[in-house]
Amino acid sequence: MRRLFLALVLGLLVVAPVGVCGRAAWAQSGGFGFADETPITLNVAEIEVVNDYVSPMKPPNIEHQLQLTPAEVVRLWVQDRLKAAGSSGKARVVIKNASIVEVNLPRTTGVKGWFTTDQSQRYDGRVEVEIQVDMPAKGYAGSTSVIITSSQSVSEDVTLNQREKTWAQLVRDMARDMDAQLAKGIRDNLFVAMVL
């Protein structure tokens, strides 16, 4: 029995790193990654991600149930899109919100309800991100921020698999919008910090 337990523990230790390494590849293949986009190079020595958002981990929030949370997508964006190429200075990417909330929708009642398939839930996603750049040696400090919102609804006869696909599509839509808006915000508001 002890040998079986030891074998299981060792097996988990061997498998766990593979799962972690495979997560980034899974995210890329699922359309969540940004490795195909041109990196944005900043004249800073360090890029830090700060997650100020704490999920309540209970209804109506459901982001903690996703295979890849909005906060993890922001981290993936930073990893794929931002590069540090300076000798001093720092960029901070602050995640202020990364939530998905489930809203129950009204249903058709009475006899008509028996023959009607309603939309039963709506999922409202919100991502708020701020990029702060501090370059004391050059006397420069600046920031840019975005707020991304998106919604998807599901019908009352939705399967668990379809519901999870809806969640994934919602996160994918927000990721695409976040990428476009942050790239524009950096060009518009942090141009001085960019390495061209």
Side-chain angles (χ1 to χ4, degrees), residues 3 48 68 76 107 157 166 182:
R3 285 185 181 175
E48 173 189 26
L68 194 68
L76 188 61
R107 308 245 187 124
D157 60 354
T166 299
L182 279 176

Side-chain angles (χ1 to χ4, degrees), residues 11 19 62 82 109 121 190:
I62 58 95
L82 295 185
T109 57
Q121 282 91 26
L190 299 173

Side-chain angles (χ1 to χ4, degrees), residues 15-156:
V15 172
V18 175
V20 171
C21 295
R23 193 172 180 87
W26 175 86
Q28 293 288 352
S29 66
F32 295 97
F34 309 92
D36 293 339
E37 301 293 333
T38 304
I40 299 167
T41 307
L42 299 176
N43 191 10
V44 295
E46 181 185 354
I47 298 171
E48 173 189 26
V49 179
V50 178
N51 189 356
D52 283 348
Y53 177 69
V54 178
S55 173
M57 304 284 282
K58 63 181 182 181
N61 289 68
I62 58 95
E63 64 272 359
H64 57 283
Q65 298 178 39
L66 276 64
Q67 193 160 8
L68 194 68
T69 68
E72 290 169 330
V73 171
V74 174
R75 288 184 182 278
L76 188 61
W77 182 86
V78 172
Q79 173 190 304
D80 288 348
R81 288 286 266 149
L82 295 185
K83 304 297 175 202
S87 56
S88 66
K90 184 179 196 176
R92 295 177 79 232
V93 180
V94 183
I95 304 168
K96 297 186 171 185
N97 196 334
S99 63
I100 299 178
V101 174
E102 181 180 73
V103 178
N104 287 317
L105 301 175
R107 308 245 187 124
T108 306
T109 57
V111 175
K112 187 176 179 185
W114 298 349
F115 304 100
T116 306
T117 302
D118 290 317
Q119 294 293 294
S120 57
Q121 282 91 26
R122 187 184 71 235
Y123 296 97
D124 296 335
R126 185 177 183 91
V127 174
E128 297 179 31
V129 179
E130 181 179 22
I131 300 176
Q132 306 162 351
V133 173
D134 189 21
M135 297 162 48
K138 296 186 172 26
Y140 175 80
S143 68
T144 189
S145 61
V146 297
I147 297 175
I148 307 297
T149 59
S150 187
S151 295
Q152 295 269 351
S153 63
V154 295
S155 65
E156 59 187 326

